[in-house]
Amino acid sequence: EEKIGNFLTPRGRYRMELYAKEMRLRGKTYDFTIQYKHISKLFLLPRKENHYAFVISLSVPIRQGASRYQHLVMNVSNEKYIAQLNLNQDELDELYDQGKLSPEMTGELYKVAAKIFRNVIGKKIFTVGTFKNKRGDKSVRCSLKGHDGLLFPLRKSFFFIHKPPTFIAYDTVSSVEFQRYSNAKGQMKSRTFDLQISYRPNGSLSGTKDIVFQGIGRNEFTPLFEFLKSMDINIRNIKSLDVEGGSSNAPDYNEDEDSDFEEEEGDSSDEDWDGGDGGDDDDNDDD
């Protein structure tokens, strides 16, 4: 299957070619070959109205000049799209589960692309969970190292897109701290606050690293605080925030809820996914 990929990271337009064991990205200046065995995770995250980020996380980063990219971020829309696969139905049924793919596939681009990637590459696709910000969106706007972007609190991890794409699994997080939220009297002293996350890079047992997401709107404090508390993430300065114990408005998280895109046991079909809320349970996936 071939189509033009508009990538945010690495920035540029690439023609994508999917083969049995590898994918190739052909750009104006650079070409890349990526073995499927080097793809650790796939994510589908809503960026803005009618646009999604399809993220390909790699265990072996690609190189573009002096830059290394571990997470490839492709922009996909919900526009209608027709994909032509260069295999007949019998060949598709033999290579993949019967009826999963067809020689011609029509639908919204992000759904068609996700379905093809899921079946050809053979990896689950994780999407947003139950977190909602003040406006009902699935992320909070902030900046990282001076670059504006979106921070997604997922079921098992944080993911920031898109510059630089940053993945932090909750089980590597030592603590979080809300900075610049209130003064000594508990009063708000800024229209925004920062979230510092202390975590162990790559799950290392020795030493932690701090990363700060800056400029989060003050109206996002309550939903973010409630969510982190529900995930049993250690909030270092919880007493100074004067909100110990949280509020009675904390969302109800169903631990059995899984991604609408794929159930934990793998028995939900692609057709069942309608782009609604879901989890990103990645317990069974190697990173």
Side-chain angles (χ1 to χ4, degrees):
E1 130 80 358
E2 297 185 9
K3 65 186 182 67
I4 295 296
N6 179 20
F7 279 80
L8 303 174
T9 305
R11 192 165 186 84
R13 296 179 67 85
Y14 293 86
R15 177 174 296 278
M16 303 181 66
E17 301 172 1
L18 304 186
Y19 297 91
K21 295 183 179 181
E22 66 184 25
M23 63 181 294
R24 298 174 187 174
L25 304 181
R26 302 190 185 279
K28 185 176 181 181
T29 306
Y30 293 94
D31 293 344
F32 303 102
T33 297
I34 300 170
Q35 300 289 324
Y36 294 155
K37 64 182 180 181
H38 294 155
I39 295 177
S40 57
K41 292 185 186 297
L42 299 171
F43 295 88
L44 185 65
L45 307 173
R47 288 183 60 230
K48 55 184 180 179
E49 186 178 4
N50 302 330
H51 285 272
Y52 297 79
F54 190 85
V55 183
I56 303 171
S57 295
L58 305 174
S59 58
V60 179
I62 62 173
R63 292 180 178 272
Q64 187 182 83
S67 300
R68 291 159 48 99
Y69 297 95
Q70 185 174 2
H71 305 284
L72 314 183
V73 183
M74 182 173 65
N75 180 57
V76 290
S77 70
N78 67 347
E79 296 177 355
K80 291 295 182 180
Y81 181 77
I82 300 176
Q84 302 284 346
L85 279 66
N86 297 323
L87 294 170
N88 61 42
Q89 191 63 62
D90 290 339
E91 292 171 325
L92 290 171
D93 290 342
E94 182 179 353
L95 288 170
Y96 312 105
D97 290 342
Q98 188 169 5
K100 290 292 186 180
L101 297 176
S102 57
E104 181 174 292
M105 301 176 62
T106 304
E108 294 168 292
L109 175 56
Y110 75 96
K111 290 185 179 181
V112 172
K115 185 170 184 177
I116 292 173
F117 270 82
R118 178 185 174 185
N119 286 281
V120 173
I121 295 176
K123 291 284 186 179
K124 291 182 181 180
I125 298 178
F126 304 120
T127 186
V128 291
T130 49
F131 171 81
K132 289 184 180 181
N133 69 5
K134 196 68 175 179
R135 297 176 54 186
D137 296 329
K138 295 296 188 175
S139 62
V140 293
R141 183 166 292 280
C142 57
S143 64
L144 177 62
K145 300 178 181 179
H147 297 286
D148 184 52
L150 299 173
L151 177 64
F152 290 85
L154 304 174
R155 280 280 308 278
K156 302 288 183 179
S157 60
F158 294 106
F159 208 116
F160 176 84
I161 57 173
H162 65 92
K163 192 175 182 180
T166 303
F167 170 85
I168 304 174
Y170 292 156
D171 59 11
T172 68
V173 174
S174 302
S175 64
V176 300
E177 180 177 340
F178 289 89
Q179 300 178 339
R180 299 191 306 109
Y181 175 70
S182 60
N183 58 22
K185 296 181 180 181
Q187 298 173 334
M188 189 73 189
K189 64 177 182 179
S190 173
R191 292 186 177 183
T192 62
F193 65 89
D194 302 335
L195 180 67
Q196 176 179 290
I197 300 176
S198 300
Y199 70 104
R200 303 180 304 277
N202 300 320
S204 172
L205 298 178
S206 59
T208 60
K209 178 180 179 180
D210 293 337
I211 188 170
V212 181
F213 297 96
Q214 300 176 310
I216 303 173
R218 64 180 179 181
N219 61 342
E220 303 293 5
F221 172 79
T222 298
L224 190 54
F225 174 85
E226 300 282 11
F227 179 82
L228 296 179
K229 197 165 185 298
S230 73
M231 293 290 105
D232 292 326
I233 294 176
N234 177 31
I235 302 175
R236 187 184 306 163
N237 59 331
I238 189 171
K239 291 185 178 180
S240 66
L241 295 171
D242 195 29
V243 289
E244 187 169 12
S247 79
S248 59
N249 296 323
D252 180 21
Y253 293 97
N254 180 1
E255 290 301 321
D256 293 329
E257 181 183 4
D258 239 331
S259 168
D260 289 336
F261 203 71
E262 175 153 351
E263 298 295 337
E264 184 176 2
E265 299 301 324
D267 55 3
S268 109
S269 66
D270 292 331
E271 290 78 9
D272 292 338
W273 189 69
D274 58 3
D277 295 346
D280 70 324
D281 191 341
D282 48 11
D283 284 344
N284 296 328
D285 209 43
D286 295 330
D287 186 10

